[in-house]
Amino acid sequence: MRVDTATSDAVAVEAVTIRRLHLPFVTPFVASYETLNERELLLLELRTDRGVGWGECLALDGPSYSYEFLDAALLVLERHALPRLLAADRITPEAVQSLLADITGHQTVKSAVEMAVLDASLRADERSFADYLGVEATEVPFGVTLGRADDLAELVEVARGHVERGVARIKLKIMPGFDIAPIERLRTELGPDVVLEADANGAYDLDAADIFRALDRFELGMLEQPLAPGRLTDHARLAAGLDTPLCLDESIVSLDAARQAIELGACRIVNIKPAQVGGYLEAVRIHDLCEEHGVPVWCGGYLETGLGLAANLALASLPNFTLPGDTIPPTRYFTADIVDEYQPIDGRLRVPTGIGLGVEPEPDRVAATTVATHHLSAATS
């Protein structure tokens, strides 16, 4: 499927407000790279000649998951990305990538800017993101991700609770010292019919191949990003010796990265994160490439608010998103969200059909979670 995304209205951006939001987690989020107790992110409000558009910058607080981090993203937004946007005459979402092309990397910044322009443009045209993508699905299944736990019995009970509520798969964050034993316990207790996956977030070296071969016997749906992001040839070598399909996540930062991974045989599945690849239009291009090569994809989570989730649900409705993604309600991990709470039914969420991204931040909730505000305008850029 080739998605025609060249049909947007142009808008003139007159001013931008950047809000730094602080969102505590219900319980600590434990991955191989870091333990997070709260989430800070940047919410962009674009005021245009045709209305408002919203976007969010999802860089983490520190440079542990990737080189991008929130303070650097704020600097790049204020000094480089947004001044270009404010100086432009009129702009469409499809033109954002070219406008920011001379900024190397900083994919979360580019994604946030494109997202806000996309929302503003679609609102001006009174269209939904789902309509823009031409998707027909009305619901999307989701899975859950579990972090490291010291009590495996408690981990099993949490997983079993999710299964009973109809979630489509259980994924466990693994790391050196926490891999074979918890996966074996989950498989034994949950049974063979539950889709079980492991995500390493690049925490291992190739000399840990014996661990991954040991995981083969548990019939995992996938082994996600076992090695560091840049090690595509090592992933290809590892993939050749495993029955479990390898999925790449952190390695997929662009269409070109996805193409190289597929050509090298470094993965059989691709996780697409719009914030990590520079935006939703690049995510669509990666979807199309993978579909052409028979590589299934799924939509990964970046600890978004309900605003980002709305866009992810529309994206995940494209036909090659054949595997359950991390499109879970934000209140499963945040104590509160900035949009109305999503109501899952049997492990599925409805695709928003409102104009723009489909939802809008609630002013009171935004105010309650804002810890800092920055303003830019065309007159001062």
Side-chain angles (χ1 to χ4, degrees):
M1 175 181 182
R2 283 287 179 180
V3 179
D4 180 11
T5 57
T7 57
S8 302
D9 284 2
V11 295
V13 181
E14 299 169 345
V16 184
T17 298
I18 309 171
R19 295 179 178 87
R20 189 174 188 133
L21 306 187
H22 179 92
L23 301 165
F25 284 110
V26 175
T27 58
F29 184 85
V30 183
S32 63
Y33 55 87
E34 192 174 9
T35 296
L36 303 173
N37 294 297
E38 62 274 325
R39 176 74 156 111
E40 289 199 350
L41 54 84
L42 303 176
L43 179 68
L44 274 59
E45 180 185 3
L46 265 59
R47 293 187 293 282
T48 80
D49 64 329
R50 301 190 63 191
V52 172
W54 299 91
E56 56 187 29
C57 181
L58 297 168
L60 296 179
D61 290 356
S64 53
Y65 178 73
S66 78
Y67 75 89
E68 295 189 72
F69 62 100
L70 207 60
D71 288 334
L74 177 60
L75 185 150
V76 174
L77 279 165
E78 289 190 307
R79 296 190 186 180
H80 303 282
L82 293 178
R84 287 166 171 75
L85 192 66
L86 290 162
D89 181 20
R90 305 186 69 77
I91 190 164
T92 64
E94 298 80 18
V96 170
Q97 189 176 68
S98 296
L99 184 71
L100 306 182
D102 63 333
I103 298 175
T104 302
H106 296 286
Q107 302 291 59
T108 60
V109 167
K110 295 174 181 177
S111 178
V113 173
E114 181 200 87
M115 182 181 183
V117 173
L118 182 63
D119 189 38
S121 173
L122 292 172
R123 286 177 183 275
D125 197 30
E126 297 187 344
R127 299 172 64 197
S128 70
F129 188 36
D131 177 63
Y132 172 82
L133 293 176
V135 300
E136 298 180 358
T138 59
E139 294 181 335
V140 171
F142 65 85
V144 296
T145 300
L146 305 179
R148 178 169 184 158
D150 294 327
D151 187 335
L152 294 188
E154 181 178 341
L155 178 69
V156 168
E157 286 310 303
V158 171
R160 183 175 284 121
H162 288 301
V163 171
E164 290 172 351
R165 286 190 290 272
V167 300
R169 61 104 167 110
I170 300 294
K171 182 171 72 173
L172 181 68
K173 294 285 189 180
I174 63 170
M175 57 203 75
F178 185 79
D179 37 47
I180 297 173
I183 288 290
E184 182 174 22
R185 183 71 175 270
L186 285 170
R187 176 53 81 208
T188 300
E189 298 284 349
L190 299 179
D193 296 332
V194 170
V195 178
L196 182 61
E197 302 169 356
D199 180 10
N201 290 116
Y204 295 84
D205 293 318
L206 195 57
D207 59 10
D210 286 348
I211 291 174
F212 304 129
R213 282 192 285 269
L215 291 175
D216 254 351
R217 71 180 189 270
F218 302 116
E219 297 184 341
L220 300 179
M222 70 180 72
L223 172 60
E224 185 178 352
Q225 197 68 45
L227 313 177
R231 299 175 64 177
L232 292 182
T233 55
D234 284 351
H235 274 107
R237 188 175 299 117
L238 179 62
L242 296 178
D243 293 328
T244 304
L246 283 199
C247 170
L248 289 185
D249 170 358
E250 288 88 345
S251 296
I252 308 301
V253 296
S254 66
L255 177 68
D256 191 55
R259 177 188 59 78
Q260 292 186 53
I262 292 170
E263 290 179 355
L264 287 169
C267 62
R268 288 159 53 190
I269 301 170
V270 165
N271 175 3
I272 302 177
K273 293 179 176 176
Q276 188 169 272
V277 302
Y280 286 89
L281 304 189
E282 186 79 343
V284 169
R285 287 186 281 269
I286 295 171
H287 163 275
D288 291 348
L289 171 78
C290 291
E291 186 175 43
E292 289 173 5
H293 288 82
V295 175
V297 300
W298 58 281
C299 185
Y302 221 96
L303 300 174
E304 298 91 346
T305 71
L307 183 70
L309 173 59
N312 285 359
L313 287 168
L315 178 73
S317 300
L318 291 173
N320 196 41
F321 281 92
T322 57
L323 301 170
D326 290 332
T327 49
I328 64 174
T331 47
R332 292 284 177 92
Y333 44 88
F334 296 144
T335 57
D337 191 16
I338 61 171
V339 305
D340 286 335
E341 186 171 348
Y342 289 81
Q343 299 296 332
I345 301 174
D346 296 327
R348 307 177 74 87
L349 288 177
R350 288 192 174 278
V351 178
T353 56
I355 63 171
L357 299 178
V359 298
E360 189 166 359
E362 294 289 334
D364 291 346
R365 298 181 191 181
V366 171
T369 55
T370 297
V371 295
T373 305
H374 308 260
H375 300 282
L376 292 88
S377 67
T380 58
S381 65

